[in-house]
Amino acid sequence: MSAHIRNFCIIAHIDHGKSTLADRLLEHTGTVTLRAMKSQLLDDLALERERGITIKARAVTMRFNRGGKDYELNLIDTPGHVDFHYEVSRSLACCEGVLLLVDAFQGVEAQTVANAYAAMEHNLKIIPVINKIDLMHARPDEVAEEMMNSLGTDPDECVRVSAKTGVGVDELLDAIIEHIPPPTGDPDAPLQAMVFDSNYDDFRGAITYIRVMNGTVRKGQKIRFLRAGSNHDVIELGRFAPARESCEELKAGQVGYLICNIKSLGDVHIGDTVGLASAQGTTPLPGYSRPKRMVYCGLFPSDGQDFTELRDALERLAINDPSFEFEPETSEALGFGFRCGFLGLLHMEIVQQRLENESDVDLVQTAPNVTYEIINKRGETVSIRKPQDVPDPGDIEEFRQPIVRCSVIVPNDYIGAIMKLCQERRGIQKSQEYLGAQRAMLTYDIPLAEVVYDLHDKIKSCTKGYGTLDYEMVGYEPADLVRMDIMVNGNRVDALSVVCHRADADRRGRAVAKKLKAEIERHMFEVAVQAAIGSRVIARETVPAMRKNVTAKCYGGDITRKRKLLQKQKEGKKRMKAIGNVEISQKAFMAVLSDS
Ligand code: GTP
C-alpha cells in the first residue's frame, strides 16, 4: 500500500549544505524546474536567509519515477541548531531514514554527532552522505573515516555528492529508494497522526504539519488534538509540492498539512497526536513534551511610552512562535517591560532581531539568566526565573542550577585550550575521544549559566573558529550560588541583581560597582554604590558630592543659550530613573547591563 513512499530528513551541521542539497533533490526529481528554482527554497523566512540557519522544520513532497515505478518522497527539513533539539526529535519521529550530511572539508561536527545519535535512537536507517566533493581541499576519504570512528557508519556506504554541481545526486536518490524502508502503518486503523511542525498564515490561521502514522484523515472530518484536548473541523488538507496542493485525504505513511481555522500557534503543540474526535480511547503517540524555556531575559522599551507597542509586537511574535513566552514585568530601574523565555541563546537572538525588524521599539535587554531551583526551609521546591525572586539566604535550604552535557569537537591542537576553558567554567570532564588522526571530541558537564554567559563565543575564539559545541540538558544539581544585589545609597537596584557562584561574587560585585560609579553623575550629596549578598556588603564605591550648575559656563548675558541648556537638561531628566534620592540615567543601566 505505502510501498512507494519514503520519508526522510537531512541532518547536518550548519553550513554543510543541507538547503543546497534539498534544492538539488527538488530539481532532480522534477518537483521544481531549474528556471522556477529560487535558490534555497526550503528556508522561506527572510530572517533565516539573513542568518543562513534553518529555524523551523518544513516538509516537501517529491514525486519521482524510477525503473517504471512512481515514488513519493517526503523530505522533512530540520533545524540544525542545539536550541531546537526537540523539534529535530519530533521530525525524526516522522521518518524512516535520514541523510547524514557531512562537509567533505570540515568533517564531522558536534551537531552532526548529536543529531546522528538522535536518529539512531529512533531506529532510523542512516545514509551517510559526504557533500562538497567539488571543493579543492575536499578530503572525502578522511571524512568517511571520521564518520566511521564517531558514528559507526560504513565508509563503503557513503554517498559522495556535490550539492552545488549536482554530481552524485542521482545516485543518492537511488540510495534513498533502495535503503530507506517504506512506512508501515494501517490506513484502516483508527487515525493517529503526529504534529511535527506548524506555521502561521495571516489568512488561513495555523497550518499544522502532520505525518499520518495509522488510519486516514479526510477533508470535512472532525479531528481532535489529543494532548491539547481541542476539537476542530478539517477545512483543508494536502501536501507541499513545494507549494500547497490540497487533496481529499492523507493515509498512513503520508506527510502533509491540515488547516482547521486555528487562530494562534499556541493552540498547536509540536509532538501532539491528531485523532478523530468521534473515536474514543485513541492512544497518543509517544515522545510528546512541552518546549522547555532555558534562558530568560527582561525586555524593556527604552522609552516608557512604547510599552503598548512592544506588547503588540511580542503578541504577534508569539502567535508565530509557540516556544517563545513572555509576561509583564516591572522594574524600578527600567520601568514597565516583559520577562521573556527562550529555548536557548540563539532563539533569544532571533526573537530580538525579529522584534527590531518588525517594530520600531527601541529595546533595553537585561543580561540573560537561566531558571534556577530553590528548596526553601519549608521543604518546597521553587522555580526561579529572575534573580529578584531569590529569597534571602536564611530562607534557602538548597540552591540548584541546570547542568548541561556539552560535546565539543576540535582539532587536536586545541584540546588543551578547551580543557582549560571548560575547567574555568566549572565543567567536569566526562570523556575524550579521537575521531581520526586530527580531531577529538571532549565531553563536559557544565552549568548552563556558564554556557549561556559566553562559552560558545569563547570556544570559537580559542579555536580560531574550528571548535563546535552541542549541549543537552542533564538536570538540576545543587551548587554554592548566591544572589548578588547592587545598592545605591542603601536602595536595591532590582534590575542589576544577579545569581552567581559564591566564589565569583566578589570579583563580579567589584566590577559592577566600579562601572556603575563611573556612570552616575555627581549629586549634591555623596552616593554610595555597593554590591551585597544578603546584608553583607562585598564591594563599595563612592561618587563624591558636587554642586552642579549647568549655567555656570554661561558667563555672558545670552539668555537663549541659557534656556537651551536648561531645556536640554530637562529632556535628559525624562530618561532618568530615581533610585531612592539618586537619579541614574537609563544609559547608565544599559552600560552596566550590557556586559555585567
Ligand atoms: P543552514 O541552513 O545554515 O543549516 O545551512 P545549510 O546546511 O542548509 O547550508 P547551505 O545549503 O546554506 O550551504 C552552505 C554553504 O555551502 C552555501 O554557501 C552553499 O553555496 C555552499 N555549498 C553547499 N553545497 C556545496 C557543494 O556541494 N559544494 C560547494 N563548493 N559549496 C556548497
Side-chain angles (χ1 to χ4, degrees):
M1 185 47 235
S2 54
H4 65 294
I5 301 177
R6 301 290 181 276
N7 297 318
F8 65 100
C9 298
I10 306 175
I11 56 184
H13 188 74
I14 287 164
D15 276 348
H16 283 200
K18 181 163 55 103
S19 305
T20 315
L21 181 64
D23 285 355
R24 283 297 87 68
L25 291 173
L26 291 177
E27 191 187 302
H28 281 242
T29 53
T31 311
V32 176
T33 58
L34 193 59
R35 209 153 56 84
M37 181 101 194
K38 257 200 337 202
S39 106
Q40 302 191 0
L41 215 67
L42 287 183
D43 284 356
D44 57 3
L45 280 168
L47 186 69
E48 288 182 37
R49 199 172 296 246
E50 235 168 70
R51 299 190 53 104
I53 297 170
T54 309
I55 302 165
K56 297 283 293 174
R58 296 280 183 278
V60 60
T61 302
M62 299 174 269
R63 296 189 182 86
F64 184 56
N65 187 290
R66 180 83 10 144
K69 270 205 207 147
D70 282 326
Y71 290 93
E72 179 178 319
L73 309 183
N74 293 307
L75 166 59
I76 295 176
D77 196 18
T78 55
H81 192 274
V82 288
D83 286 357
F84 306 99
H85 256 331
Y86 174 62
E87 291 183 15
V88 173
S89 117
R90 292 304 83 205
S91 299
L92 293 177
C94 297
C95 296
E96 280 74 40
V98 299
L99 309 184
L100 180 59
L101 188 71
V102 176
D103 182 308
F105 174 63
Q106 302 284 347
V108 175
E109 304 282 15
Q111 268 111 70
T112 328
V113 180
N115 287 336
Y117 283 150
M120 289 171 201
E121 271 166 32
H122 284 94
N123 291 321
L124 304 188
K125 170 69 193 173
I126 294 177
I127 300 184
V129 183
I130 299 180
N131 186 30
K132 307 198 190 182
I133 54 167
D134 60 294
L135 285 177
M136 225 186 20
H137 301 293
R139 41 181 197 103
D141 295 335
E142 280 169 49
V143 170
E145 195 192 312
E146 271 183 25
M147 290 173 84
M148 178 176 70
N149 291 340
S150 54
L151 311 165
T153 55
D154 181 348
D156 294 331
E157 281 184 15
C158 284
V159 184
R160 298 178 181 204
V161 303
S162 164
K164 189 171 171 186
T165 65
V167 170
V169 172
D170 285 331
E171 288 77 2
L172 180 58
L173 282 165
D174 287 339
I176 291 169
I177 289 170
E178 209 173 301
H179 298 307
I180 296 179
T184 52
D186 178 1
D188 298 320
L191 176 66
Q192 265 183 324
M194 160 86 82
V195 175
F196 66 89
D197 196 3
S198 62
N199 62 7
Y200 192 78
D201 182 287
D202 283 341
F203 302 105
R204 311 298 310 265
I207 297 181
T208 310
Y209 292 60
I210 55 160
R211 149 79 197 262
V212 185
M213 296 297 186
N214 277 304
T216 303
V217 58
R218 296 187 178 85
K219 196 171 155 179
Q221 276 176 332
K222 198 177 253 319
I223 52 134
R224 182 174 177 77
F225 288 105
L226 297 182
R227 307 267 181 187
S230 56
N231 292 346
H232 300 275
D233 293 320
V234 177
I235 294 173
E236 182 183 321
L237 54 76
R239 274 166 288 207
F240 291 94
R244 253 187 354 239
E245 191 183 276
S246 69
C247 61
E248 290 303 309
E249 59 178 30
L250 289 172
K251 290 185 171 177
Q254 289 187 308
V255 172
Y257 68 89
L258 293 180
I259 294 179
C260 305
N261 201 15
I262 298 172
K263 285 300 169 213
S264 158
L265 280 194
D267 299 332
V268 181
H269 302 285
I270 292 181
D272 202 348
T273 305
V274 176
L276 286 183
S278 56
Q280 293 299 312
T282 309
T283 37
L285 297 160
Y288 172 76
S289 73
R290 289 185 176 279
K292 266 199 220 96
R293 284 94 188 175
M294 297 306 297
V295 176
Y296 285 82
C297 79
L299 287 182
F300 295 84
S302 57
D303 188 341
Q305 258 112 47
D306 292 336
F307 177 79
T308 24
E309 210 173 307
L310 176 59
R311 191 189 53 208
D312 293 348
L314 290 173
E315 271 168 7
R316 275 199 304 277
L317 261 181
I319 286 177
N320 260 299
D321 181 356
S323 36
F324 161 67
E325 71 175 7
F326 68 99
E327 61 188 29
E329 178 182 23
T330 321
S331 151
E332 216 175 284
L334 300 170
F336 293 103
F338 298 92
R339 176 124 294 249
C340 304
F342 310 91
L343 299 176
L345 271 189
L346 180 84
H347 187 214
M348 179 172 87
E349 235 182 87
I350 289 168
V351 168
Q352 220 189 321
Q353 217 174 339
R354 271 193 199 161
L355 272 177
E356 276 168 22
N357 291 351
E358 291 166 20
S359 65
D360 292 335
V361 188
D362 197 15
L363 288 177
V364 180
Q365 186 202 319
T366 64
N369 62 274
V370 303
T371 313
Y372 294 93
E373 269 181 14
I374 279 179
I375 301 180
N376 62 23
K377 291 285 185 202
R378 293 180 296 286
E380 299 155 344
T381 306
V382 191
S383 165
I384 304 284
R385 292 180 184 182
K386 52 183 185 205
Q388 297 95 292
D389 292 348
V390 175
D392 285 331
D395 242 1
I396 302 174
E397 186 63 44
E398 192 169 277
F399 210 147
R400 294 176 171 176
Q401 64 176 342
I403 304 287
V404 289
R405 181 149 303 164
C406 297
S407 320
V408 186
I409 294 188
V410 284
N412 290 346
D413 293 350
Y414 300 109
I415 293 178
I418 291 295
M419 285 181 152
K420 183 162 171 282
L421 180 65
C422 291
Q423 270 155 18
E424 279 167 13
R425 298 300 141 103
R426 301 179 202 289
I428 296 169
Q429 187 167 18
K430 290 289 161 184
S431 67
Q432 174 174 350
E433 287 165 45
Y434 289 91
L435 301 184
Q438 291 169 16
R439 295 182 341 134
M441 178 160 88
L442 302 171
T443 313
Y444 275 85
D445 281 359
I446 307 183
L448 179 63
E450 303 278 350
V451 177
V452 161
Y453 193 44
D454 64 352
L455 188 68
H456 195 232
D457 291 347
K458 281 279 171 350
I459 287 178
K460 285 283 170 203
S461 64
C462 78
T463 61
K464 299 214 172 81
Y466 288 120
T468 52
L469 165 74
D470 190 83
Y471 61 82
E472 62 178 341
M473 183 73 184
V474 178
Y476 280 82
E477 281 178 18
D480 193 7
L481 300 169
V482 291
R483 183 189 84 207
M484 184 185 71
D485 298 319
I486 298 297
M487 324 276 275
V488 172
N489 271 5
N491 295 300
R492 185 168 118 188
V493 186
D494 55 4
L496 298 183
S497 295
V498 290
V499 171
C500 63
H501 201 274
R502 190 182 301 274
D504 291 338
D506 281 7
R507 184 178 50 79
R508 287 184 69 172
R510 272 198 303 276
V512 176
K514 210 167 175 161
K515 198 148 187 192
L516 189 58
K517 176 200 165 185
E519 296 286 339
I520 296 180
E521 287 190 12
R522 291 185 180 194
H523 282 62
M524 309 274 279
F525 43 84
E526 211 176 73
V527 176
V529 179
Q530 297 167 311
I533 299 172
S535 54
R536 193 169 64 84
V537 173
I538 54 172
R540 179 188 164 118
E541 295 281 340
T542 309
V543 185
M546 191 190 89
R547 190 191 171 103
K548 193 170 180 207
N549 182 354
V550 284
T551 57
K553 290 182 211 145
C554 307
Y555 39 81
D558 183 353
I559 187 71
T560 52
R561 188 161 164 226
K562 251 183 215 173
R563 275 216 194 101
K564 258 190 209 150
L565 267 171
L566 287 169
Q567 181 62 28
K568 222 165 148 194
Q569 201 189 33
K570 211 166 119 208
E571 272 168 20
K573 277 244 164 68
K574 273 205 301 201
R575 303 232 167 204
M576 293 295 214
K577 306 282 175 185
I579 302 295
N581 56 354
V582 180
E583 293 208 318
I584 303 180
S585 71
Q586 192 136 48
K587 191 180 127 273
F589 287 116
M590 280 146 77
V592 176
L593 286 172
S594 61
D595 54 4
S596 62

